[in-house]
Amino acid sequence: MFFKLKIFLYLIKIKIEKIIILITNGKYLKFKKYIYLISLKKSKFYKPFLKNKLDFLTLPIINKSIFMKNFNEINTCKISLKEASSLAKNSEKNRDFSPMIKNIAVGLSSGTSGNQGIFLVNENERAKWVAYMLDRVIKLSYRKRKIAFFLRSNNELYESSNSNFLQFNFFDIYIPIKNHIKRLNQLKPDILIAQPSVLKIICKYLDSKNLNIKPKRIISIAEVLTNEDKIFFEKKFKINIEEVYQCTEGFLASTCKEGILHFNEDFLIIEKKYINDKKTRFHPIITDLVRQSQPIVRYELNDVITENKKCKCGSKFLAIKSIDGRSDDIIKLVSNTNKKVSIFPDIIRNTIILSDNRINDYEIVQINKNTFELFIQSDCKQSYFNAKNALIKTFAKYNVHDINFILKNKLKHINGNKKRRVKNEYKK
């Protein structure tokens, strides 16, 4: 009951802060940043950088590797990496995510970038997270709503806001989706929250008439929601698909009334590390002004973001045109003139999708400097050759030739991990 009161109070605070931010034209956010810098002195890692003055730009830009290497010094809970890792792994193994360390929730990221991350969240941060999700994603309503959310791990965090008006129901994606169908039919959720790869499977059960649900809202999470998937889901469910951009490092963005993702710049500082000459694509460097038990400060993500300069909704928060995958999955090739070539994942995705409208699913993996594994799911065998020829033409535009393709009969995707249709496993 006390925790739910905290959520309610934070909801009120969020509403008030929106008004204050609008009135002060950004001055309030500068004040929040100043207060946050003071709180960072509790972290052994950040304290030396703030010894002389509270200058945000003196703080180092870090990444996942640096973050995990300095786990013990960064967090302010006096929790060691060994202790947190042990609890998180046991929770994953036993599929019981309720145990905590000193009232600190411990979570394990999926580790799709090659190394897993550990995150710590205290009670206040959990309450704030729920409040922001209720405000930005679930939306407040006096009508009772049932929510089905598919995730790789449950947490007290997600079910903390259960009430007479809101009923959260966790569905474990490590359990085959077919085992969830009966429960889904009984629940008949008003809101369905799931990854695109899970929504794809759910659509198959809808087609087979084994599943009979008509959610009023669908929210895509965890994985990149490609434009072709968005169109497919909207046609299948006959509603607009919403999206949340969230990762281990925090709740980053959600869609506005126009269906455009906006960064949550009322509690995030977003710096942009541009990765192309036109300055349209960047890596977000994030600072989360909510997280204090494990500060997320000037943390560079390897996600590739295409910026949206303007949104019709009128929000001043930074808009996202698309999330184009990760830098790890940029295709790296060498042209015939021995020039290094980089091709962004969205270019590869568009090439395959536009090559044949009979393609239902696909995956392309670069395994060495000139060889790709290519999986095409289609009712027509010709679709594979159409996709292959389209890719050859795309590569030729970059003066890259002599590419080899290996036909694959199944996806490399493992249920429970984030689905990536374009992968680069050639790391030289």
Side-chain angles (χ1 to χ4, degrees):
M1 181 62 73
F2 181 66
F3 186 74
K4 288 183 179 179
L5 177 60
K6 274 190 175 183
I7 295 171
F8 177 72
L9 292 175
Y10 280 128
L11 268 170
I12 294 173
K13 184 181 178 183
I14 289 168
K15 299 293 185 185
I16 293 172
E17 279 192 339
K18 281 183 181 178
I19 299 170
I20 295 174
I21 289 169
L22 191 65
I23 294 173
T24 61
N25 196 27
K27 290 181 181 179
Y28 178 71
L29 292 177
K30 290 181 180 179
F31 172 72
K32 282 185 74 171
K33 184 167 77 172
Y34 175 77
I35 296 299
Y36 187 71
L37 287 173
I38 293 174
S39 73
L40 279 182
K41 289 187 176 183
K42 296 177 183 177
S43 167
K44 289 182 180 180
F45 180 82
Y46 288 108
K47 187 176 180 179
F49 297 100
L50 300 168
K51 190 174 182 179
N52 297 322
K53 58 179 179 177
L54 296 174
D55 187 352
F56 180 74
L57 295 178
T58 63
L59 301 175
I61 294 175
I62 65 173
N63 54 27
K64 190 173 187 177
S65 176
I66 297 170
F67 187 73
M68 293 306 297
K69 186 178 179 180
N70 294 278
F71 181 94
N72 296 358
E73 289 73 32
I74 288 177
N75 85 78
T76 61
C77 310
K78 297 180 180 179
I79 294 175
S80 70
L81 177 59
K82 183 178 179 181
E83 185 182 13
S85 181
S86 176
L87 179 69
K89 288 177 180 178
N90 282 334
S91 295
E92 289 280 343
K93 182 180 177 181
N94 301 322
R95 309 307 293 161
D96 177 10
F97 302 93
S98 57
M100 300 186 189
I101 303 174
K102 295 180 288 189
N103 204 30
I104 303 294
V106 181
L108 187 69
S109 71
S110 57
T112 53
S113 59
N115 56 329
Q116 292 183 315
I118 304 287
F119 60 93
L120 308 175
V121 191
N122 66 27
E123 185 177 278
N124 285 338
E125 291 160 347
R126 295 197 299 275
K128 287 177 184 176
W129 183 90
V130 172
Y132 277 114
M133 292 297 287
L134 288 172
D135 180 67
R136 305 282 154 87
V137 181
I138 306 301
K139 316 293 186 186
L140 297 178
S141 173
Y142 290 108
R143 185 175 60 83
K144 186 173 182 178
R145 292 171 296 167
K146 294 174 288 185
I147 301 172
F149 62 110
F150 285 79
L151 294 166
R152 59 181 294 275
S153 62
N154 196 8
N155 196 296
E156 293 296 323
L157 189 64
Y158 304 120
E159 297 185 355
S160 300
S161 51
N162 276 338
S163 66
N164 293 331
F165 299 104
L166 208 57
Q167 179 189 337
F168 274 88
N169 300 270
F170 169 67
F171 290 79
D172 192 335
I173 61 174
Y174 278 115
I175 297 173
I177 302 300
K178 64 180 181 180
N179 295 350
H180 292 308
I181 298 304
K182 183 179 178 181
R183 185 176 165 217
L184 268 177
N185 278 326
Q186 291 172 343
L187 180 65
K188 296 195 181 303
D190 302 292
I191 302 174
L192 176 60
I193 303 175
Q195 302 97 317
S197 58
V198 171
L199 290 174
K200 275 273 188 181
I201 300 172
I202 288 174
C203 285
K204 290 179 182 178
Y205 283 98
L206 286 172
D207 290 338
S208 67
K209 309 297 182 182
N210 290 317
L211 182 63
N212 182 26
I213 60 171
K214 293 182 179 179
K216 296 177 178 65
R217 292 178 61 204
I218 293 178
I219 301 166
S220 173
I221 59 169
E223 299 168 354
V224 172
L225 177 65
T226 62
N227 190 52
E228 64 267 20
D229 279 348
K230 189 172 188 289
I231 293 170
F232 174 79
F233 295 141
E234 289 182 341
K235 184 178 180 181
K236 184 68 64 176
F237 290 99
K238 296 179 174 56
I239 54 175
N240 292 330
I241 304 299
E242 301 167 59
E243 190 175 0
V244 167
Y245 178 23
Q246 179 170 293
C247 55
T248 308
E249 292 74 30
F251 172 31
L252 305 183
S254 57
T255 46
C256 66
K257 61 183 180 181
E258 297 293 330
I260 302 297
L261 279 169
H262 290 263
F263 280 106
N264 294 314
E265 290 191 282
D266 52 343
F267 63 88
L268 294 177
I269 298 171
I270 305 295
E271 299 173 84
K272 292 176 279 188
K273 180 182 177 181
Y274 288 108
I275 57 175
N276 66 334
D277 294 335
K278 293 181 180 180
K279 291 189 175 182
T280 55
R281 301 178 194 261
F282 64 91
H283 288 170
I285 301 172
I286 62 171
T287 299
D288 189 329
L289 300 178
V290 172
R291 300 278 290 274
Q292 293 187 352
S293 55
Q294 187 186 34
I296 303 293
V297 179
R298 305 198 79 191
Y299 187 112
E300 182 180 337
L301 299 175
N302 66 353
D303 293 340
V304 178
I305 306 295
T306 296
E307 189 172 352
N308 195 334
K309 296 294 183 182
K310 197 174 182 180
C311 181
K312 292 179 182 178
C313 76
S315 173
K316 293 183 180 180
F317 291 171
L318 180 62
I320 299 171
K321 185 176 182 180
S322 61
I323 303 170
D324 301 325
R326 304 178 338 195
S327 284
D328 291 1
D329 291 325
I330 293 175
I331 300 303
K332 304 286 187 179
L333 299 167
V334 178
S335 72
N336 281 27
T337 56
N338 209 33
K339 181 182 177 182
K340 291 183 178 180
V341 173
S342 297
I343 306 178
F344 289 104
D346 63 314
I347 294 173
I348 303 297
R349 285 196 293 264
N350 287 336
T351 297
I352 294 173
I353 284 299
L354 295 174
S355 70
D356 194 317
N357 59 14
R358 293 167 296 189
I359 294 175
N360 298 315
D361 206 353
Y362 61 92
E363 183 180 72
I364 181 168
V365 183
Q366 183 177 5
I367 58 175
N368 67 37
K369 65 179 180 180
N370 65 347
T371 303
F372 292 84
E373 293 177 345
L374 180 60
F375 165 80
I376 297 293
Q377 185 184 81
S378 171
D379 295 329
C380 179
K381 291 182 179 179
Q382 184 60 36
S383 298
Y384 166 78
F385 297 100
N386 291 345
K388 174 184 170 181
N389 292 333
L391 287 165
I392 289 172
K393 288 180 181 178
T394 294
F395 293 147
K397 293 177 182 178
Y398 295 86
N399 198 19
V400 176
H401 304 278
D402 302 321
I403 297 295
N404 301 315
F405 291 92
I406 300 171
L407 172 62
K408 303 297 289 185
N409 295 319
K410 63 179 182 178
L411 290 167
K412 277 192 171 183
H413 173 67
I414 299 172
N415 193 35
N417 289 345
K418 290 182 181 179
K419 187 171 184 178
R420 294 149 52 205
R421 287 194 173 100
V422 181
K423 303 180 187 178
N424 186 344
E425 294 183 352
Y426 176 60
K427 301 303 180 184
K428 186 173 180 181

